[in-house]
Amino acid sequence: MTLLKEPDFGTPERPGAATVSVEIDGQQVTVPEGTSVMRAAAEAGIDVPKLCATDSLEAFGSCRLCVVEIDGRRGTPASCTTPCADGMSVKTQTPKVEKLRQGVMELYISDHPLDCLTCPANGDCELQDMAGVVGLRQVRYGYEGANHLDAEKDTSNPYFDFDPSKCIACSRCVRACDEVQGTFALTIEGRGFESKVSAGAGESFMDSECVSCGSCVQACPTSTLQEKSVVDLGMPTRSVITTCAYCGVGCSFKAELRGDELVRMVPHKDGGANEGHSCVKGRFAFGYATHPDRKLKPMVRDRITDPWREVEWDEAIGTVARRFREIQGRYGSGAIGAISSSRCTNEEVYVVQKMVRAAFGNNNIDTCARVCHSPTGYGLKQTFGESAGTQDFRSVAEADVIVVIGANPTDGHPVFASRMKRRLREGAELIVVDPRRIDLVRSPHIEARHHLQLRPSTNVAVVNAMAHVVVTEGLTDENFVAERCEGYEEWAEFVARPENSPEATEEVSGVPASELRAAARLYASADNGAIYYGLGVTEHSQGSTMVMGMANLAMACGNIGRDGVGVNPLRGQNNVQGSCDMGSFPHELPGYRHISDDAVRGVFENLWGSALLPEPGLRIPNMFDAAIDGDFRGLFVHGEDIAQSDPNLQHVTAALEAMELVVVQDLFLNETAKYAHVFLPGASFLEKDGTFTNAERRVNRVRSVMPPKAGKHEWQIVCEIATAMGYAMDYDHPSQIMDEIASVTPTFAGVSFDLIDKLGSIQWPCNEEAPEGTPTMHVDAFTRGKGKFVVTSYVPTNERSTRRFPLVLTTGRILSQYNVGAQTRRTGNVAWHPEDILEVHPHDAEERGITDGDLVTLSSRVGATTLHAQISDRMPPGVVYTTFHHPVTGANVVTTENSDWATNCPEYKVTAVQVGLAPKAEAEAEAAREAADELVTVVD
């Protein structure tokens, strides 16, 4: 495959039917009103020279290279800023415009290094291309006068350089930062000849507000902003379109290679989820795939205290199969199980659960997706009838009021956050419900109308209070409720009770009643109100209750079934949705159908040729408990680091130590591998072929950029283990696995690799009724028929602050790092976040004698760790916050076994803790105090 060059129409597309007809160079073109002359010409196959224009940005009109002549108009207007008018006649090539363009280009070249042959952008430089297009043959101006050729290069960013000597001040990078990313980190400093791109007065890119999303690099028409990988490796020569393996946004990328070496990842303009945008992780943090830490040979050992021994694949797979069978022979078929991964493809996840059910002979399969978003599946299934979000990402462009609950999109889902910020800048209102003041509360050109800074664990009380206002103040969409819902009367009577009023719940939640009432009125009165939520909703003891509470609120206000509304989970990992879809829970087969359903089970038994148990198997916490009790003895861990990511790590490691066989399949020897007896090397996303399903139910193709470095595909390894255990599993290609998924999963009935390749992506359900997928769910009716209101009583968590543990810890992610950090810690992203830190409110810090940067001990009733403190007023007094990306910190050492009542999703977001100076830091602080006292004595 050659390098994929995407067409650039110069200016953005204008919506609407084609109503304006113009003549361009003798060709008739009909376009929507408001379309620029430049775009109309491009759609007719006529390319107008340009430098400052690109179709991802609004027209700017600064380069003057795109001038044209228009009959009946004076001068030579810029085609990028001139809208088409009906009957207009345009000439893009005349002696006059040719001369003007050559003059403009001559001025650009006169202040530009003539190093094309050695420039890293040679062959991929728009300035170079346009010099040829306009026919520039000479430059009459020398370098004797003032120029910018000696401007100092900024190499501070780990991923790209900024060379101002090559800058033409076209403002594309500045506008991309503003319009696409929404960070407003760049500006044009100075005027006239002194104009230059600046990341802030005297600041480097690294020290600025730049978030390294790559939009500026993508927009730059020269080599001013250039990836260091291109400088080092040279221009790529071919492309493979694939899907990012980080968060649940599911961005499409062109993986661009030179030979068999990946040079860069470029966001794909036709990507349904990202439409040409990216974040620092997807754009730049791919180096982990070739990191020297990767293990590429299978390894075995008898005991976890023994050294690893490299073996061939046949021995490793034979060892796994033999030892699993031996365990089952001694302890019974239910003594082994598996944990599948939300980082792996749908096809890989599917064969893991199939291996457990058909080869292991039990239902002991669970997934990390349950550890983060299982309340989403349960809550939305109960209320709407489908275990997934309701909208596509584009839908946010139609929202009038946006509610963000327990999510931090700018850090966790930055590409979607840019969409959201664009809509907020256009005038939509924002309500943030979060204990922490996230960046969306106030950032450039954005300010939330309301920040409901609730106490951790009181989500349900707050959503019930918002519903109380809707019901008691007559804000319910009565027609929607009457036509499309059931159970309203009972629910309305419940939320209207005095104990659910904002005034009654204020003492519990800490949210002022007046603020909550105003927020509820704003959401209920909006033409289109949309809810977006994250782990701050699901990772609670009442996670499932809260999901149902949000669904109740949306139905009561009629905010379901069209663009701009909905209840939308922001999934944390790249395939959380797909992992759930594929039957990775011990009680559900693919498609969220219960294992006890005889008819459903019969479909799989007939297909697989194996009897399936009707009883649900063990969830992850049950596996750990049973391991400590001696009943569960073997575990296959597929792409998860449970010894870092799961709660109450002392309990986790005790369970792993108690097992006779732990098999880890991963890229690196992670924390869990310390307790493993067999290590099977996995494949990075660059080596995978299959699909991921993102947070909007979008099934995207993952295409292999290179063969598996360890020699086997992950689905192939799983199939060989199952076969060695006596159950034959064999596929020639992952497309066959997807065909099998489609044959037994109604929502995937129409999905195939061929269809995805044709359409680009598909949002399930995809079946006879929706042959090209379903962007918006529940349009005319809910999946379950009528939407069901569910009474959502607030039940306080058992995890309470005490005199011994008076603070509450809540956790989250940061932009530059991802989950347990196994990938991002092995990239340049460590430059932004080299360690986890603990944010402590100034009041709490002062009480404990803690200053900024001190090493502190964070302890709970189950464990303790040390990390450095950062004094911050983002949280209210009594609440501390940290991330969980670094194993050296091991934040989950302190999180407890509390979990959601319906799904066992851990209550990561609420842990009673104490914070104090670490012993070493305390000694140093005491010494400093003594020194200060001595100084005072001398002065006196």
Side-chain angles (χ1 to χ4, degrees):
M1 184 182 294
T2 58
L3 196 64
L4 175 63
K5 294 286 189 179
E6 295 167 309
D8 189 333
F9 293 89
T11 62
E13 182 181 10
R14 297 305 178 204
T19 57
V20 179
S21 293
V22 297
E23 182 186 275
I24 303 178
D25 291 347
Q27 293 190 45
Q28 286 293 325
V29 186
T30 303
V31 293
E33 189 174 359
T35 300
S36 71
V37 169
M38 176 181 283
R39 186 175 185 101
E43 291 183 3
I46 301 167
D47 290 329
V48 179
K50 60 185 183 296
L51 280 173
C52 72
T54 182
D55 57 15
S56 62
L57 304 171
E58 291 298 327
F60 194 56
S62 69
C63 77
R64 307 304 299 170
L65 205 63
C66 71
V67 294
V68 295
E69 289 193 84
I70 301 175
D71 288 356
R73 294 198 185 186
R74 297 178 59 187
T76 51
S79 61
C80 64
T81 56
T82 303
C84 292
D86 204 39
M88 179 183 283
S89 178
V90 180
K91 294 181 177 61
T92 69
Q93 300 292 335
T94 68
K96 182 177 182 179
V97 298
E98 288 175 5
K99 184 176 181 180
L100 286 171
R101 289 171 184 165
Q102 289 174 359
V104 168
M105 182 58 68
E106 190 176 5
L107 289 171
Y108 278 126
I109 297 300
S110 71
D111 191 18
H112 195 84
L114 295 180
D115 60 352
C116 290
L117 294 180
T118 57
C119 177
N122 186 27
D124 190 35
C125 172
E126 292 180 45
L127 184 69
Q128 185 183 53
D129 293 343
M130 291 303 109
V133 167
V134 303
L136 184 67
R137 296 293 179 264
Q138 63 175 344
V139 178
R140 293 166 293 173
Y141 315 112
Y143 289 154
E144 295 79 11
N147 58 55
H148 302 90
L149 300 181
D150 294 328
E152 186 177 352
K153 185 184 291 188
D154 179 357
T155 61
S156 60
N157 189 284
Y159 295 122
F160 59 84
D161 295 334
F162 172 62
D163 185 354
S165 72
K166 298 182 177 181
C167 181
I168 61 173
C170 65
S171 294
R172 271 167 58 166
C173 60
V174 177
R175 290 182 287 138
C177 189
D178 296 354
E179 296 175 27
V180 179
Q181 169 58 27
T183 297
F184 296 84
L186 304 179
T187 188
I188 295 290
E189 187 179 281
R191 303 187 66 180
F193 182 77
E194 302 301 324
S195 297
K196 62 180 181 179
V197 172
S198 172
E203 286 193 327
S204 67
F205 268 75
M206 194 62 185
D207 295 331
S208 73
E209 295 298 312
C210 170
V211 294
S212 298
C213 68
S215 288
C216 58
V217 180
Q218 185 73 4
C220 182
T222 69
S223 189
T224 305
L225 287 157
Q226 185 69 72
E227 299 97 332
K228 291 184 177 181
S229 58
V230 172
V231 176
D232 293 340
L233 302 174
M235 269 293 157
T237 56
R238 65 186 181 95
S239 302
V240 178
I241 298 174
T242 190
T243 303
C244 179
Y246 279 115
C247 79
V249 173
C251 295
S252 296
F253 279 88
K254 296 181 294 180
E256 296 191 343
L257 301 96
R258 186 178 181 88
D260 61 353
E261 191 164 21
L262 181 61
V263 176
R264 64 184 177 188
M265 297 288 286
V266 179
H268 187 32
K269 286 172 66 174
D270 288 339
N274 59 316
E275 295 179 318
H277 190 31
S278 61
C279 79
V280 62
K281 294 190 287 290
R283 183 71 158 88
F284 297 115
F286 54 83
Y288 70 89
T290 53
H291 195 278
D293 283 355
R294 273 193 69 177
K295 299 300 179 185
L296 303 178
K297 283 280 191 179
M299 297 186 293
V300 300
R301 57 185 176 181
D302 293 330
R303 293 176 295 273
I304 63 174
T305 53
D306 294 341
W308 286 107
R309 177 172 62 89
E310 287 189 357
V311 298
E312 296 302 319
W313 275 109
D314 287 349
E315 182 179 345
I317 289 169
T319 299
V320 172
R322 173 178 54 80
R323 294 186 64 179
F324 272 149
R325 286 198 307 267
E326 289 173 353
I327 290 171
Q328 288 184 306
R330 289 195 300 272
Y331 303 102
S333 63
I336 63 174
I339 298 173
S340 66
S341 174
S342 294
R343 291 190 291 129
C344 297
T345 66
N346 287 317
E347 294 73 20
E348 291 164 344
V349 172
Y350 177 85
V351 295
V352 170
Q353 63 86 33
K354 180 177 178 179
M355 174 183 71
V356 171
R357 294 189 159 105
F360 290 8
N362 61 51
N363 290 309
N364 294 337
I365 174 66
D366 205 356
T367 173
C368 63
R370 189 193 50 74
V371 180
C372 59
H373 260 288
S374 50
T376 287
Y378 181 88
L380 295 183
K381 183 80 169 181
Q382 300 302 309
T383 51
F384 298 163
E386 198 66 82
S387 300
T390 60
Q391 316 294 126
D392 63 1
F393 288 144
R394 292 186 183 98
S395 170
V396 75
E398 304 299 325
D400 300 304
V401 173
I402 301 168
V403 185
V404 176
I405 307 180
N408 187 2
T410 55
D411 279 17
H413 304 85
V415 172
F416 172 71
S418 294
R419 283 186 187 269
M420 181 185 291
K421 289 189 291 184
R422 191 178 310 135
R423 178 59 185 151
L424 293 171
R425 294 195 300 273
E426 291 170 352
E429 299 280 12
L430 175 65
I431 300 167
V432 173
V433 185
D434 202 291
R436 188 167 175 262
R437 191 182 69 246
I438 60 174
D439 288 346
L440 279 178
V441 173
R442 175 175 286 183
S443 57
H445 300 272
I446 290 171
E447 184 170 5
R449 180 81 169 270
H450 302 285
H451 177 203
L452 308 185
Q453 195 170 28
L454 75 172
R455 295 190 181 103
S457 82
T458 62
N459 288 337
V460 174
V462 168
V463 78
N464 284 346
M466 292 182 73
H468 176 95
V469 175
V470 171
V471 170
T472 59
E473 295 189 6
L475 301 175
T476 300
D477 186 332
E478 295 179 357
N479 291 334
F480 182 91
V481 170
E483 293 173 6
R484 298 195 49 187
C485 304
E486 63 184 13
Y488 174 78
E489 290 75 14
E490 180 185 359
W491 172 79
E493 185 276 328
F494 159 74
V495 295
R497 294 173 188 171
E499 61 264 30
N500 288 320
S501 69
E503 289 72 22
T505 58
E506 180 174 343
E507 186 175 346
V508 171
S509 69
V511 178
S514 58
E515 187 77 0
L516 196 150
R517 282 189 177 275
R521 291 166 184 154
L522 180 64
Y523 172 74
S525 60
D527 289 338
N528 290 329
I531 297 174
Y532 294 89
Y533 70 94
L535 302 185
V537 161
T538 57
E539 290 179 345
H540 286 277
S541 61
Q542 281 201 287
S544 294
T545 309
M546 180 59 182
V547 172
M548 292 187 289
M550 295 185 299
N552 290 336
L553 182 64
M555 288 188 292
C557 298
N559 282 325
I560 295 291
R562 61 184 185 278
D563 281 347
V565 299
V567 179
N568 306 286
L570 297 175
R571 307 287 195 169
Q573 297 190 74
N574 53 297
N575 202 33
V576 168
Q577 183 67 59
S579 183
C580 300
D581 297 341
M582 294 299 106
S584 293
F585 295 131
H587 65 290
E588 286 180 337
L589 288 159
Y592 305 96
R593 289 164 295 167
H594 205 279
I595 191 71
S596 65
D597 188 314
D598 293 342
V600 170
R601 201 171 60 257
V603 170
F604 287 88
E605 288 177 333
N606 290 334
L607 177 66
W608 293 349
S610 176
L612 305 181
L613 295 179
E615 300 84 13
L618 299 177
R619 292 171 173 169
I620 294 172
N622 307 130
M623 295 181 195
F624 294 158
D625 292 342
I628 291 173
D629 292 341
D631 300 324
F632 188 83
R633 294 287 180 163
L635 181 64
F636 177 82
V637 185
H638 184 217
E640 280 301 306
D641 193 2
I642 55 176
Q644 186 184 343
S645 63
D646 278 36
N648 194 359
L649 289 183
Q650 291 185 11
H651 184 67
V652 174
T653 55
L656 291 171
E657 287 177 332
M659 296 186 202
E660 295 181 17
L661 178 62
V662 175
V663 181
V664 168
Q665 183 169 320
D666 216 309
L667 302 179
F668 308 104
L669 282 175
N670 55 25
E671 297 301 299
T672 307
K674 293 177 180 178
Y675 305 91
H677 305 87
V678 180
F679 180 84
L680 306 175
S684 75
F685 83 106
L686 296 171
E687 301 148 45
K688 293 180 185 288
D689 199 342
T691 58
F692 294 149
T693 306
N694 76 349
E696 51 174 357
R697 297 170 282 103
R698 186 181 300 277
V699 185
N700 274 317
R701 281 281 278 116
V702 184
R703 297 177 178 88
S704 55
V705 173
M706 57 190 72
K709 291 184 175 296
K712 287 185 182 290
H713 295 285
E714 292 193 16
W715 58 266
Q716 182 182 4
I717 298 166
V718 172
C719 290
E720 290 183 9
I721 292 172
T723 301
M725 291 186 70
Y727 177 78
M729 281 174 60
D730 184 40
Y731 304 93
D732 296 324
H733 190 266
S735 62
Q736 296 174 347
I737 304 175
M738 177 51 73
D739 291 342
E740 182 173 318
I741 293 166
S743 72
V744 291
T745 311
T747 50
F748 277 70
V751 177
S752 68
F753 279 27
D754 288 343
L755 185 60
I756 299 173
D757 291 343
K758 175 184 175 182
L759 300 179
S761 61
I762 300 169
Q763 288 177 264
W764 67 258
C766 177
N767 46 35
E768 287 186 5
E769 291 75 28
E772 295 191 354
T774 310
T776 302
M777 296 283 286
H778 319 299
V779 173
D780 298 314
F782 289 92
T783 301
R784 68 181 303 278
K786 288 198 170 186
K788 182 181 180 181
F789 283 91
V790 179
V791 171
T792 53
S793 300
Y794 168 64
V795 179
T797 176
N798 292 328
E799 185 71 6
R800 313 285 181 85
S801 299
T802 65
R803 295 176 71 179
R804 184 180 176 190
F805 302 110
L807 304 175
V808 172
L809 169 71
T810 191
T811 62
R813 291 183 169 97
I814 201 165
L815 172 64
S816 62
Q817 296 295 329
Y818 172 72
N819 226 40
V820 298
Q823 295 147 276
T824 45
R825 283 186 285 105
R826 291 176 169 89
T827 70
N829 282 28
V830 293
W832 290 281
H833 190 73
E835 62 177 332
D836 293 320
I837 58 173
L838 184 72
E839 294 185 15
V840 184
H841 190 274
H843 172 78
D844 299 322
E846 185 178 1
E847 278 193 338
R848 292 160 176 78
I850 296 170
T851 59
D852 209 53
D854 280 345
L855 186 68
V856 298
T857 298
L858 175 69
S859 58
S860 73
R861 60 182 171 83
V862 299
T865 187
T866 57
L867 63 173
H868 288 97
Q870 180 181 78
I871 311 305
S872 169
D873 63 357
R874 281 178 174 257
M875 304 79 52
V879 179
V880 293
Y881 171 88
T882 190
T883 51
F884 49 86
H885 303 302
H886 292 266
V888 68
T889 303
N892 285 322
V893 166
V894 304
T895 52
T896 69
E897 72 282 359
N898 285 349
S899 63
D900 173 52
W901 63 271
T903 66
N904 272 148
C905 180
E907 192 173 38
Y908 287 112
K909 303 305 181 190
V910 186
T911 305
V913 296
Q914 178 59 289
V915 177
L917 284 169
K920 179 182 177 182
E922 192 167 8
E924 291 173 350
E926 181 60 30
R929 284 192 293 270
E930 291 175 358
D933 290 341
E934 291 175 6
L935 180 63
V936 170
T937 302
V938 170
V939 172
D940 289 345

